[in-house]
Amino acid sequence: MFPNVRPRRLRQTAAIRNLVREVRLDPGDFVLPLFFSETLTTAKPVGTMPGVDQLPVSAAAEIAQRAHEAGLGGVILFGLPKEKDACGDAACNPNGPVPQAVMRMKDKAPDLLVMTDTCVDEYTDHGHCGVLVKNRRGEQVVDNDATLEVLCRSALTQARAGVDVVAPSDMMDGRVGAIRRALDGEGFQDVAILSYAVKYASSFYGPFRDAADCAPKFGDRSSYQMDPGNTREALRELAQDEAEGADMVMVKPALPYLDVIARVRDRTNLPLAAYNVSGEYAMIKAAAKAGMLDEKRATLEALLSIKRAGADFILTYHALDAARWLG
Ligand code: PBG
């Protein structure tokens, strides 16, 4: 007997495909990462990320306006300071590129959601995400609790500049709770925390380290970022950050970790973000440039897959292009 059930019936026209589509993309799903430099006076292209620039602080108002007009969900800011030191103190400088850019953005486009990455790797002269200490074996490692102190001061600096959301990306234990207490202590109850709860020690951050000038000068980040083989550990990180008061959580990277996004989605009722990182962006750009992929279709399909896996919103360098293509 020929089957009565014919799934192809619902694929015959654009109209019916549109009606039954389960997951859709919207410009409001995207958060655009931006790099602000304290020393530049004009935009400087990032060689490994075609279409991405390091920006002078003076460009903040204009890009905020563009992001707002494109209907993006928000922007997330990273900083390149003039000077670095061993503990990343420049991350706490109110005159630094990130607080200064936040103020200009809030001034020009008050309705645009502005987030800041809270981490010291762009501000330390060794490039690690924290303060160094010698461990029992005499090796230089990142000291968890000493790092919390500078992270809290950095988050406060960002809050005073007017940011809506701080996003700690350092992977220190206990930082969500510490930052929450620090913010509340100064009356910033309304500043939300988007925790990079599940962040893997990934090779896909390579191009970002050019963009943000933050490649570690020795060793790697595997003593604080997660091992790519682990998913149960991701659920422990999630539970911990929820207990400490995270308002939203993130999985990073996105495309090689769609299974992790799906498992975290099943376990949390918090808004879930995924970071479509620099290496994921660079791969599509390189393949498109070589004529191997249709950039628009590949990008939208990749972003859709991240949402289908369970992310509510996506940090992505494709944000402005994708918003335009969807418009
Ligand atoms: C650390 C940070 C990194 C990224 C975002 N925040 C780099 C790292 O952990 O080495 C990577 C983002 C990307 O690759 O697009 N502050």
mmCIF file of all heavy atoms in Angstrom, residues 189-239:
data_model
loop_
_atom_site.group_PDB
_atom_site.id
_atom_site.type_symbol
_atom_site.label_atom_id
_atom_site.label_comp_id
_atom_site.label_asym_id
_atom_site.label_seq_id
_atom_site.Cartn_x
_atom_site.Cartn_y
_atom_site.Cartn_z
ATOM 1 N N GLN A 189 21.837 47.024 40.685
ATOM 2 C CA GLN A 189 20.985 45.829 40.641
ATOM 3 C C GLN A 189 20.438 45.561 39.238
ATOM 4 O O GLN A 189 20.114 44.436 38.894
ATOM 5 C CB GLN A 189 19.783 45.977 41.599
ATOM 6 C CG GLN A 189 20.097 45.736 43.048
ATOM 7 C CD GLN A 189 20.661 46.960 43.742
ATOM 8 O OE1 GLN A 189 20.831 48.027 43.124
ATOM 9 N NE2 GLN A 189 20.958 46.832 45.017
ATOM 10 N N ASP A 190 20.307 46.615 38.433
ATOM 11 C CA ASP A 190 19.711 46.462 37.103
ATOM 12 C C ASP A 190 20.697 46.005 36.033
ATOM 13 O O ASP A 190 20.295 45.715 34.912
ATOM 14 C CB ASP A 190 19.106 47.795 36.629
ATOM 15 C CG ASP A 190 17.848 48.131 37.404
ATOM 16 O OD1 ASP A 190 17.336 47.242 38.117
ATOM 17 O OD2 ASP A 190 17.374 49.277 37.280
ATOM 18 N N VAL A 191 21.971 46.005 36.335
ATOM 19 C CA VAL A 191 22.943 45.536 35.341
ATOM 20 C C VAL A 191 22.922 44.003 35.343
ATOM 21 O O VAL A 191 23.132 43.372 36.379
ATOM 22 C CB VAL A 191 24.358 46.063 35.648
ATOM 23 C CG1 VAL A 191 25.384 45.447 34.695
ATOM 24 C CG2 VAL A 191 24.386 47.593 35.549
ATOM 25 N N ALA A 192 22.624 43.425 34.185
ATOM 26 C CA ALA A 192 22.483 41.969 34.086
ATOM 27 C C ALA A 192 23.822 41.303 33.817
ATOM 28 O O ALA A 192 24.747 41.926 33.299
ATOM 29 C CB ALA A 192 21.500 41.624 32.970
ATOM 30 N N ILE A 193 23.899 40.029 34.183
ATOM 31 C CA ILE A 193 25.105 39.237 33.907
ATOM 32 C C ILE A 193 24.791 38.144 32.881
ATOM 33 O O ILE A 193 23.926 37.290 33.107
ATOM 34 C CB ILE A 193 25.673 38.600 35.192
ATOM 35 C CG1 ILE A 193 26.061 39.686 36.201
ATOM 36 C CG2 ILE A 193 26.877 37.715 34.863
ATOM 37 C CD1 ILE A 193 26.565 39.143 37.538
ATOM 38 N N LEU A 194 25.486 38.230 31.762
ATOM 39 C CA LEU A 194 25.469 37.148 30.771
ATOM 40 C C LEU A 194 26.757 36.365 30.979
ATOM 41 O O LEU A 194 27.839 36.866 30.666
ATOM 42 C CB LEU A 194 25.429 37.734 29.341
ATOM 43 C CG LEU A 194 25.770 36.785 28.186
ATOM 44 C CD1 LEU A 194 24.819 35.591 28.136
ATOM 45 C CD2 LEU A 194 25.757 37.522 26.843
ATOM 46 N N SER A 195 26.628 35.189 31.547
ATOM 47 C CA SER A 195 27.833 34.412 31.844
ATOM 48 C C SER A 195 28.261 33.550 30.656
ATOM 49 O O SER A 195 27.442 32.819 30.099
ATOM 50 C CB SER A 195 27.575 33.498 33.047
ATOM 51 O OG SER A 195 28.685 32.648 33.215
ATOM 52 N N TYR A 196 29.532 33.647 30.286
ATOM 53 C CA TYR A 196 30.097 32.651 29.370
ATOM 54 C C TYR A 196 30.242 31.395 30.235
ATOM 55 O O TYR A 196 31.337 31.042 30.670
ATOM 56 C CB TYR A 196 31.474 33.071 28.892
ATOM 57 C CG TYR A 196 31.616 34.206 27.898
ATOM 58 C CD1 TYR A 196 31.329 35.523 28.233
ATOM 59 C CD2 TYR A 196 32.124 33.958 26.608
ATOM 60 C CE1 TYR A 196 31.530 36.559 27.325
ATOM 61 C CE2 TYR A 196 32.325 34.999 25.700
ATOM 62 C CZ TYR A 196 32.034 36.291 26.067
ATOM 63 O OH TYR A 196 32.244 37.318 25.173
ATOM 64 N N ALA A 197 29.119 30.730 30.495
ATOM 65 C CA ALA A 197 29.115 29.621 31.451
ATOM 66 C C ALA A 197 29.909 28.432 30.925
ATOM 67 O O ALA A 197 30.600 27.742 31.670
ATOM 68 C CB ALA A 197 27.673 29.216 31.740
ATOM 69 N N VAL A 198 29.765 28.178 29.626
ATOM 70 C CA VAL A 198 30.353 26.989 29.021
ATOM 71 C C VAL A 198 31.272 27.445 27.889
ATOM 72 O O VAL A 198 30.848 27.654 26.762
ATOM 73 C CB VAL A 198 29.247 26.060 28.483
ATOM 74 C CG1 VAL A 198 29.859 24.799 27.875
ATOM 75 C CG2 VAL A 198 28.255 25.702 29.587
ATOM 76 N N LYS A 199 32.529 27.649 28.246
ATOM 77 C CA LYS A 199 33.487 28.147 27.262
ATOM 78 C C LYS A 199 34.639 27.166 27.142
ATOM 79 O O LYS A 199 35.330 26.882 28.112
ATOM 80 C CB LYS A 199 34.003 29.523 27.696
ATOM 81 C CG LYS A 199 35.061 30.097 26.761
ATOM 82 C CD LYS A 199 35.422 31.524 27.131
ATOM 83 C CE LYS A 199 36.526 32.052 26.241
ATOM 84 N NZ LYS A 199 36.921 33.430 26.601
ATOM 85 N N TYR A 200 34.796 26.649 25.934
ATOM 86 C CA TYR A 200 35.807 25.623 25.692
ATOM 87 C C TYR A 200 37.155 26.232 25.315
ATOM 88 O O TYR A 200 37.214 27.320 24.739
ATOM 89 C CB TYR A 200 35.327 24.689 24.573
ATOM 90 C CG TYR A 200 34.214 23.789 25.035
ATOM 91 C CD1 TYR A 200 32.872 24.167 24.886
ATOM 92 C CD2 TYR A 200 34.488 22.578 25.656
ATOM 93 C CE1 TYR A 200 31.845 23.349 25.330
ATOM 94 C CE2 TYR A 200 33.466 21.751 26.108
ATOM 95 C CZ TYR A 200 32.151 22.141 25.943
ATOM 96 O OH TYR A 200 31.140 21.335 26.399
ATOM 97 N N ALA A 201 38.226 25.509 25.603
ATOM 98 C CA ALA A 201 39.573 25.890 25.160
ATOM 99 C C ALA A 201 39.657 25.517 23.680
ATOM 100 O O ALA A 201 40.002 24.397 23.323
ATOM 101 C CB ALA A 201 40.623 25.143 25.978
ATOM 102 N N SER A 202 39.315 26.472 22.828
ATOM 103 C CA SER A 202 39.073 26.157 21.416
ATOM 104 C C SER A 202 40.090 26.787 20.481
ATOM 105 O O SER A 202 40.501 27.934 20.682
ATOM 106 C CB SER A 202 37.674 26.648 21.031
ATOM 107 O OG SER A 202 37.459 26.551 19.648
ATOM 108 N N SER A 203 40.427 26.065 19.424
ATOM 109 C CA SER A 203 41.301 26.618 18.380
ATOM 110 C C SER A 203 40.557 27.634 17.524
ATOM 111 O O SER A 203 41.179 28.392 16.788
ATOM 112 C CB SER A 203 41.815 25.481 17.492
ATOM 113 O OG SER A 203 40.715 24.818 16.900
ATOM 114 N N PHE A 204 39.243 27.651 17.633
ATOM 115 C CA PHE A 204 38.447 28.555 16.794
ATOM 116 C C PHE A 204 38.487 30.016 17.257
ATOM 117 O O PHE A 204 37.858 30.863 16.647
ATOM 118 C CB PHE A 204 37.000 28.051 16.693
ATOM 119 C CG PHE A 204 36.881 26.799 15.865
ATOM 120 C CD1 PHE A 204 36.921 25.548 16.460
ATOM 121 C CD2 PHE A 204 36.773 26.869 14.481
ATOM 122 C CE1 PHE A 204 36.847 24.393 15.700
ATOM 123 C CE2 PHE A 204 36.692 25.724 13.712
ATOM 124 C CZ PHE A 204 36.725 24.480 14.317
ATOM 125 N N TYR A 205 39.217 30.290 18.351
ATOM 126 C CA TYR A 205 39.376 31.689 18.775
ATOM 127 C C TYR A 205 40.582 32.355 18.107
ATOM 128 O O TYR A 205 40.867 33.519 18.386
ATOM 129 C CB TYR A 205 39.573 31.803 20.297
ATOM 130 C CG TYR A 205 38.548 31.114 21.156
ATOM 131 C CD1 TYR A 205 38.904 30.596 22.408
ATOM 132 C CD2 TYR A 205 37.233 30.981 20.739
ATOM 133 C CE1 TYR A 205 37.972 29.953 23.211
ATOM 134 C CE2 TYR A 205 36.299 30.328 21.536
ATOM 135 C CZ TYR A 205 36.677 29.813 22.767
ATOM 136 O OH TYR A 205 35.766 29.177 23.560
ATOM 137 N N GLY A 206 41.297 31.615 17.254
ATOM 138 C CA GLY A 206 42.536 32.132 16.665
ATOM 139 C C GLY A 206 42.432 33.547 16.096
ATOM 140 O O GLY A 206 43.184 34.440 16.508
ATOM 141 N N PRO A 207 41.512 33.794 15.162
ATOM 142 C CA PRO A 207 41.443 35.136 14.564
ATOM 143 C C PRO A 207 41.110 36.232 15.576
ATOM 144 O O PRO A 207 41.613 37.350 15.474
ATOM 145 C CB PRO A 207 40.322 35.002 13.521
ATOM 146 C CG PRO A 207 40.262 33.539 13.211
ATOM 147 C CD PRO A 207 40.593 32.844 14.497
ATOM 148 N N PHE A 208 40.297 35.910 16.580
ATOM 149 C CA PHE A 208 39.957 36.898 17.619
ATOM 150 C C PHE A 208 41.201 37.401 18.326
ATOM 151 O O PHE A 208 41.309 38.572 18.685
ATOM 152 C CB PHE A 208 39.013 36.255 18.639
ATOM 153 C CG PHE A 208 38.699 37.127 19.840
ATOM 154 C CD1 PHE A 208 37.590 37.941 19.855
ATOM 155 C CD2 PHE A 208 39.523 37.109 20.965
ATOM 156 C CE1 PHE A 208 37.304 38.729 20.962
ATOM 157 C CE2 PHE A 208 39.247 37.890 22.069
ATOM 158 C CZ PHE A 208 38.122 38.700 22.071
ATOM 159 N N ARG A 209 42.145 36.492 18.518
ATOM 160 C CA ARG A 209 43.334 36.893 19.278
ATOM 161 C C ARG A 209 44.168 37.893 18.502
ATOM 162 O O ARG A 209 44.904 38.673 19.090
ATOM 163 C CB ARG A 209 44.113 35.653 19.713
ATOM 164 C CG ARG A 209 43.289 34.896 20.746
ATOM 165 C CD ARG A 209 43.899 33.593 21.190
ATOM 166 N NE ARG A 209 42.961 32.900 22.073
ATOM 167 C CZ ARG A 209 43.130 31.679 22.542
ATOM 168 N NH1 ARG A 209 44.226 31.012 22.216
ATOM 169 N NH2 ARG A 209 42.233 31.128 23.331
ATOM 170 N N ASP A 210 44.031 37.902 17.171
ATOM 171 C CA ASP A 210 44.596 38.986 16.353
ATOM 172 C C ASP A 210 43.790 40.260 16.556
ATOM 173 O O ASP A 210 44.335 41.340 16.751
ATOM 174 C CB ASP A 210 44.487 38.647 14.859
ATOM 175 C CG ASP A 210 45.597 37.733 14.419
ATOM 176 O OD1 ASP A 210 46.555 37.564 15.195
ATOM 177 O OD2 ASP A 210 45.488 37.200 13.309
ATOM 178 N N ALA A 211 42.472 40.109 16.468
ATOM 179 C CA ALA A 211 41.584 41.276 16.537
ATOM 180 C C ALA A 211 41.735 41.984 17.870
ATOM 181 O O ALA A 211 41.739 43.206 17.949
ATOM 182 C CB ALA A 211 40.135 40.843 16.329
ATOM 183 N N ALA A 212 41.851 41.217 18.946
ATOM 184 C CA ALA A 212 41.874 41.806 20.283
ATOM 185 C C ALA A 212 43.277 41.808 20.868
ATOM 186 O O ALA A 212 43.461 42.187 22.024
ATOM 187 C CB ALA A 212 40.913 41.055 21.197
ATOM 188 N N ASP A 213 44.252 41.385 20.074
ATOM 189 C CA ASP A 213 45.649 41.386 20.508
ATOM 190 C C ASP A 213 45.794 40.727 21.894
ATOM 191 O O ASP A 213 46.279 41.346 22.833
ATOM 192 C CB ASP A 213 46.170 42.844 20.533
ATOM 193 C CG ASP A 213 47.648 42.914 20.932
ATOM 194 O OD1 ASP A 213 48.374 41.949 20.632
ATOM 195 O OD2 ASP A 213 48.059 43.915 21.553
ATOM 196 N N CYS A 214 45.324 39.491 22.011
ATOM 197 C CA CYS A 214 45.305 38.879 23.339
ATOM 198 C C CYS A 214 45.765 37.424 23.341
ATOM 199 O O CYS A 214 45.392 36.661 24.227
ATOM 200 C CB CYS A 214 43.908 38.992 23.950
ATOM 201 S SG CYS A 214 42.666 38.060 23.052
ATOM 202 N N ALA A 215 46.583 37.032 22.355
ATOM 203 C CA ALA A 215 47.103 35.661 22.369
ATOM 204 C C ALA A 215 47.999 35.485 23.590
ATOM 205 O O ALA A 215 48.807 36.362 23.896
ATOM 206 C CB ALA A 215 47.896 35.391 21.097
ATOM 207 N N PRO A 216 47.853 34.375 24.341
ATOM 208 C CA PRO A 216 48.719 34.173 25.498
ATOM 209 C C PRO A 216 50.185 34.081 25.059
ATOM 210 O O PRO A 216 50.495 33.444 24.058
ATOM 211 C CB PRO A 216 48.228 32.861 26.101
ATOM 212 C CG PRO A 216 47.267 32.275 25.155
ATOM 213 C CD PRO A 216 46.883 33.301 24.148
ATOM 214 N N LYS A 217 51.077 34.719 25.822
ATOM 215 C CA LYS A 217 52.501 34.757 25.447
ATOM 216 C C LYS A 217 53.192 33.433 25.768
ATOM 217 O O LYS A 217 54.249 33.139 25.249
ATOM 218 C CB LYS A 217 53.221 35.896 26.189
ATOM 219 C CG LYS A 217 52.710 37.295 25.845
ATOM 220 C CD LYS A 217 53.260 37.788 24.507
ATOM 221 C CE LYS A 217 52.891 39.233 24.191
ATOM 222 N NZ LYS A 217 51.457 39.565 24.261
ATOM 223 N N PHE A 218 52.616 32.650 26.679
ATOM 224 C CA PHE A 218 53.152 31.308 26.947
ATOM 225 C C PHE A 218 51.980 30.407 27.290
ATOM 226 O O PHE A 218 50.926 30.882 27.734
ATOM 227 C CB PHE A 218 54.151 31.342 28.102
ATOM 228 C CG PHE A 218 53.518 31.697 29.424
ATOM 229 C CD1 PHE A 218 53.017 30.709 30.269
ATOM 230 C CD2 PHE A 218 53.397 33.037 29.810
ATOM 231 C CE1 PHE A 218 52.409 31.041 31.471
ATOM 232 C CE2 PHE A 218 52.786 33.367 31.015
ATOM 233 C CZ PHE A 218 52.299 32.374 31.845
ATOM 234 N N GLY A 219 52.161 29.114 27.027
ATOM 235 C CA GLY A 219 51.141 28.133 27.388
ATOM 236 C C GLY A 219 49.832 28.371 26.656
ATOM 237 O O GLY A 219 49.786 29.007 25.601
ATOM 238 N N ASP A 220 48.755 27.813 27.219
ATOM 239 C CA ASP A 220 47.438 27.986 26.612
ATOM 240 C C ASP A 220 46.411 28.185 27.720
ATOM 241 O O ASP A 220 46.778 28.363 28.880
ATOM 242 C CB ASP A 220 47.093 26.793 25.721
ATOM 243 C CG ASP A 220 47.098 25.487 26.505
ATOM 244 O OD1 ASP A 220 46.820 25.514 27.727
ATOM 245 O OD2 ASP A 220 47.378 24.431 25.915
ATOM 246 N N ARG A 221 45.127 28.164 27.362
ATOM 247 C CA ARG A 221 44.096 28.484 28.343
ATOM 248 C C ARG A 221 43.431 27.229 28.930
ATOM 249 O O ARG A 221 42.362 27.312 29.509
ATOM 250 C CB ARG A 221 43.028 29.363 27.707
ATOM 251 C CG ARG A 221 43.546 30.651 27.068
ATOM 252 C CD ARG A 221 42.449 31.715 27.059
ATOM 253 N NE ARG A 221 42.622 32.791 26.111
ATOM 254 C CZ ARG A 221 43.502 33.781 26.212
ATOM 255 N NH1 ARG A 221 44.345 33.803 27.219
ATOM 256 N NH2 ARG A 221 43.548 34.729 25.294
ATOM 257 N N SER A 222 44.065 26.047 28.736
ATOM 258 C CA SER A 222 43.345 24.829 29.120
ATOM 259 C C SER A 222 43.283 24.590 30.626
ATOM 260 O O SER A 222 42.592 23.674 31.065
ATOM 261 C CB SER A 222 43.911 23.608 28.390
ATOM 262 O OG SER A 222 45.299 23.620 28.458
ATOM 263 N N SER A 223 43.961 25.434 31.443
ATOM 264 C CA SER A 223 43.768 25.267 32.889
ATOM 265 C C SER A 223 42.581 26.076 33.391
ATOM 266 O O SER A 223 42.226 25.999 34.566
ATOM 267 C CB SER A 223 45.037 25.632 33.668
ATOM 268 O OG SER A 223 45.164 27.028 33.779
ATOM 269 N N TYR A 224 41.951 26.856 32.518
ATOM 270 C CA TYR A 224 40.708 27.516 32.960
ATOM 271 C C TYR A 224 39.543 27.329 31.996
ATOM 272 O O TYR A 224 38.406 27.251 32.417
ATOM 273 C CB TYR A 224 40.922 29.001 33.317
ATOM 274 C CG TYR A 224 41.847 29.831 32.451
ATOM 275 C CD1 TYR A 224 41.333 30.716 31.508
ATOM 276 C CD2 TYR A 224 43.230 29.769 32.594
ATOM 277 C CE1 TYR A 224 42.169 31.508 30.732
ATOM 278 C CE2 TYR A 224 44.078 30.545 31.810
ATOM 279 C CZ TYR A 224 43.546 31.410 30.884
ATOM 280 O OH TYR A 224 44.372 32.185 30.111
ATOM 281 N N GLN A 225 39.808 27.249 30.683
ATOM 282 C CA GLN A 225 38.706 26.970 29.756
ATOM 283 C C GLN A 225 38.473 25.458 29.668
ATOM 284 O O GLN A 225 39.353 24.667 29.993
ATOM 285 C CB GLN A 225 39.022 27.564 28.379
ATOM 286 C CG GLN A 225 39.180 29.081 28.437
ATOM 287 C CD GLN A 225 39.521 29.711 27.099
ATOM 288 O OE1 GLN A 225 39.869 29.010 26.144
ATOM 289 N NE2 GLN A 225 39.449 31.029 27.037
ATOM 290 N N MET A 226 37.276 25.068 29.196
ATOM 291 C CA MET A 226 36.894 23.653 29.273
ATOM 292 C C MET A 226 37.517 22.780 28.193
ATOM 293 O O MET A 226 37.788 23.214 27.080
ATOM 294 C CB MET A 226 35.368 23.534 29.195
ATOM 295 C CG MET A 226 34.675 23.856 30.507
ATOM 296 S SD MET A 226 32.901 23.689 30.326
ATOM 297 C CE MET A 226 32.797 22.078 29.567
ATOM 298 N N ASP A 227 37.643 21.517 28.544
ATOM 299 C CA ASP A 227 38.149 20.501 27.618
ATOM 300 C C ASP A 227 37.065 20.183 26.580
ATOM 301 O O ASP A 227 35.921 19.902 26.948
ATOM 302 C CB ASP A 227 38.486 19.258 28.442
ATOM 303 C CG ASP A 227 39.185 18.198 27.621
ATOM 304 O OD1 ASP A 227 38.655 17.805 26.557
ATOM 305 O OD2 ASP A 227 40.257 17.744 28.052
ATOM 306 N N PRO A 228 37.412 20.227 25.285
ATOM 307 C CA PRO A 228 36.412 19.971 24.242
ATOM 308 C C PRO A 228 35.728 18.605 24.340
ATOM 309 O O PRO A 228 34.673 18.397 23.738
ATOM 310 C CB PRO A 228 37.217 20.088 22.938
ATOM 311 C CG PRO A 228 38.327 21.026 23.279
ATOM 312 C CD PRO A 228 38.686 20.709 24.713
ATOM 313 N N GLY A 229 36.284 17.678 25.083
ATOM 314 C CA GLY A 229 35.660 16.356 25.207
ATOM 315 C C GLY A 229 34.504 16.292 26.182
ATOM 316 O O GLY A 229 33.824 15.263 26.281
ATOM 317 N N ASN A 230 34.254 17.371 26.919
ATOM 318 C CA ASN A 230 33.321 17.263 28.044
ATOM 319 C C ASN A 230 31.973 17.950 27.815
ATOM 320 O O ASN A 230 31.938 19.102 27.415
ATOM 321 C CB ASN A 230 33.960 17.887 29.293
ATOM 322 C CG ASN A 230 35.193 17.116 29.731
ATOM 323 O OD1 ASN A 230 35.496 16.057 29.181
ATOM 324 N ND2 ASN A 230 35.897 17.644 30.702
ATOM 325 N N THR A 231 30.904 17.195 28.096
ATOM 326 C CA THR A 231 29.584 17.846 28.145
ATOM 327 C C THR A 231 28.954 17.776 29.531
ATOM 328 O O THR A 231 28.252 18.693 29.923
ATOM 329 C CB THR A 231 28.562 17.265 27.149
ATOM 330 O OG1 THR A 231 28.693 15.858 27.127
ATOM 331 C CG2 THR A 231 28.742 17.838 25.779
ATOM 332 N N ARG A 232 29.179 16.719 30.284
ATOM 333 C CA ARG A 232 28.608 16.699 31.645
ATOM 334 C C ARG A 232 29.170 17.874 32.439
ATOM 335 O O ARG A 232 28.451 18.514 33.220
ATOM 336 C CB ARG A 232 28.933 15.375 32.347
ATOM 337 C CG ARG A 232 28.213 14.183 31.747
ATOM 338 C CD ARG A 232 28.314 12.963 32.656
ATOM 339 N NE ARG A 232 29.691 12.556 32.867
ATOM 340 C CZ ARG A 232 30.329 11.634 32.123
ATOM 341 N NH1 ARG A 232 29.706 11.031 31.141
ATOM 342 N NH2 ARG A 232 31.570 11.328 32.380
ATOM 343 N N GLU A 233 30.444 18.171 32.208
ATOM 344 C CA GLU A 233 31.051 19.303 32.896
ATOM 345 C C GLU A 233 30.362 20.628 32.516
ATOM 346 O O GLU A 233 30.252 21.543 33.343
ATOM 347 C CB GLU A 233 32.549 19.371 32.554
ATOM 348 C CG GLU A 233 33.306 20.396 33.358
ATOM 349 C CD GLU A 233 34.762 20.529 32.902
ATOM 350 O OE1 GLU A 233 35.160 19.875 31.925
ATOM 351 O OE2 GLU A 233 35.488 21.303 33.539
ATOM 352 N N ALA A 234 29.882 20.706 31.291
ATOM 353 C CA ALA A 234 29.164 21.912 30.866
ATOM 354 C C ALA A 234 27.916 22.105 31.726
ATOM 355 O O ALA A 234 27.568 23.228 32.112
ATOM 356 C CB ALA A 234 28.773 21.806 29.390
ATOM 357 N N LEU A 235 27.255 20.984 32.055
ATOM 358 C CA LEU A 235 26.040 21.079 32.865
ATOM 359 C C LEU A 235 26.371 21.485 34.302
ATOM 360 O O LEU A 235 25.577 22.166 34.966
ATOM 361 C CB LEU A 235 25.273 19.754 32.810
ATOM 362 C CG LEU A 235 24.899 19.314 31.385
ATOM 363 C CD1 LEU A 235 24.170 17.977 31.402
ATOM 364 C CD2 LEU A 235 24.061 20.373 30.669
ATOM 365 N N ARG A 236 27.545 21.088 34.783
ATOM 366 C CA ARG A 236 27.979 21.531 36.125
ATOM 367 C C ARG A 236 28.272 23.027 36.114
ATOM 368 O O ARG A 236 27.894 23.761 37.034
ATOM 369 C CB ARG A 236 29.235 20.774 36.573
ATOM 370 C CG ARG A 236 29.019 19.298 36.778
ATOM 371 C CD ARG A 236 30.284 18.643 37.311
ATOM 372 N NE ARG A 236 30.611 19.115 38.648
ATOM 373 C CZ ARG A 236 31.840 19.187 39.159
ATOM 374 N NH1 ARG A 236 32.871 18.802 38.434
ATOM 375 N NH2 ARG A 236 32.036 19.620 40.383
ATOM 376 N N GLU A 237 28.955 23.498 35.075
ATOM 377 C CA GLU A 237 29.234 24.936 34.968
ATOM 378 C C GLU A 237 27.929 25.727 34.923
ATOM 379 O O GLU A 237 27.790 26.780 35.537
ATOM 380 C CB GLU A 237 30.062 25.233 33.706
ATOM 381 C CG GLU A 237 31.521 24.826 33.800
ATOM 382 C CD GLU A 237 32.367 25.835 34.581
ATOM 383 O OE1 GLU A 237 31.822 26.822 35.092
ATOM 384 O OE2 GLU A 237 33.596 25.629 34.669
ATOM 385 N N LEU A 238 26.983 25.204 34.151
ATOM 386 C CA LEU A 238 25.676 25.853 34.039
ATOM 387 C C LEU A 238 25.004 25.952 35.401
ATOM 388 O O LEU A 238 24.545 27.031 35.813
ATOM 389 C CB LEU A 238 24.781 25.050 33.076
ATOM 390 C CG LEU A 238 23.298 25.404 33.097
ATOM 391 C CD1 LEU A 238 23.079 26.784 32.482
ATOM 392 C CD2 LEU A 238 22.482 24.345 32.348
ATOM 393 N N ALA A 239 24.955 24.823 36.129
ATOM 394 C CA ALA A 239 24.280 24.811 37.430
ATOM 395 C C ALA A 239 24.947 25.798 38.390
ATOM 396 O O ALA A 239 24.280 26.524 39.139
ATOM 397 C CB ALA A 239 24.313 23.394 38.012
#
